[in-house]
Amino acid sequence: MILTGKSIEACVKTGDIVISPFTEGSITTNSYDLTLGNTFIRYNEEIIDPKKNNRHEVIDCGPEGITLGKGDFLLAHSVEKIGSNKYVPIIHAKSSIARLGLFVHVTADLIDIGSFGCVTFQLHSTLPIRLFPGMKIGQVTFWKPLGDIVPYDGKYQGSDGPRVSMAYVDFK
Ligand SMILES: O=c1ccn([C@H]2C[C@H](O)[C@@H](COP(=O)(O)OP(=O)(O)OP(=O)(O)O)O2)c(=O)[nH]1
């Protein structure tokens, strides 16, 4: 079952859902809009190797924004820290952004119950595009789970910005 916008708002008030900062204006019919932070990460490797911590640069951008070329891939983050010990968050693009040819995640849309922090977006542009910190870029929905809950205790807990892949940990 998906929570409606009104339910999301009520759960933020009771603390069953964390969205910080929270503004009523970002509630939609059945989601909450997420905004783009100002830190980005670009990998600097010719070939990405999941067994290692791949070289990358961190880019802080101002109000002038950042340009992604066609086919570019950058990690980015939501301004909002989100999470819930009760519901399953799932992230999505906003349709208006998808209509500009931008993926906000590259197939990873699931947030674990008990995972709290900024969402790392995996931006993939199919067309050249300029992005601006603070713009509405994605949305998060909340789903009622079935069964016992084991809260997330993984490697991306408490993210306060974009986080590079730590897939290498899984090889150890
Ligand atoms: O697009 C996404 C997807 C997930 N997450 C965060 C929230 C999620 O709870 C956490 C871990 O996601 P997942 O379990 O899919 O990744 P993993 O590679 O299995 O990591 P872990 O071993 O920590 O579970 O990463 C994001 O920030 N962005």
Side-chain angles (χ1 to χ4, degrees):
M1 231 171 353
I2 187 171
L3 268 57
T4 64
K6 289 280 179 205
S7 293
I8 294 171
E9 191 175 357
C11 287
V12 168
K13 284 185 181 143
T14 62
D16 283 337
I17 288 175
V18 170
I19 300 176
S20 177
F22 175 84
T23 49
E24 231 172 84
S26 291
I27 288 276
T28 81
T29 318
N30 38 234
S31 73
Y32 185 89
D33 284 337
L34 296 174
T35 52
L36 184 64
N38 62 356
T39 305
F40 300 82
I41 292 176
R42 187 189 292 282
Y43 288 112
N44 288 326
E45 299 276 5
E46 207 141 294
I47 297 177
I48 297 291
D49 181 350
K51 286 190 176 177
K52 71 177 202 190
N53 189 4
N54 291 280
R55 274 183 296 129
H56 58 270
E57 62 183 305
V58 177
I59 304 159
D60 285 317
C61 110
E64 73 283 359
I66 188 167
T67 303
L68 279 71
K70 184 175 176 163
D72 229 345
F73 180 85
L74 282 185
L75 298 175
H77 70 103
S78 64
V79 168
E80 297 80 11
K81 291 187 174 165
I82 64 148
S84 175
N85 281 319
K86 200 165 170 188
Y87 299 103
V88 181
I90 295 185
I91 58 164
H92 321 261
K94 277 182 73 63
S95 159
S96 298
I97 298 302
R99 290 168 203 230
L100 298 172
L102 184 74
F103 287 88
V104 299
H105 65 72
V106 178
T107 70
D109 61 355
L110 188 63
I111 310 295
D112 298 88
I113 294 183
S115 167
F116 291 89
C118 298
V119 172
T120 291
F121 296 120
Q122 307 97 43
L123 302 180
H124 176 56
S125 47
T126 65
L127 301 169
I129 186 169
R130 192 152 190 86
L131 299 177
F132 301 94
M135 68 184 278
K136 288 185 174 182
I137 194 153
Q139 53 188 323
V140 57
T141 52
F142 293 88
W143 297 77
K144 196 176 160 119
L146 180 69
D148 295 339
I149 292 170
V150 180
Y152 180 68
D153 184 26
K155 40 195 182 293
Y156 304 107
Q157 185 65 287
S159 300
D160 57 4
R163 297 277 300 275
V164 291
S165 173
M166 291 175 68
Y168 56 87
V169 170
D170 298 331
F171 285 90
K172 286 181 180 152

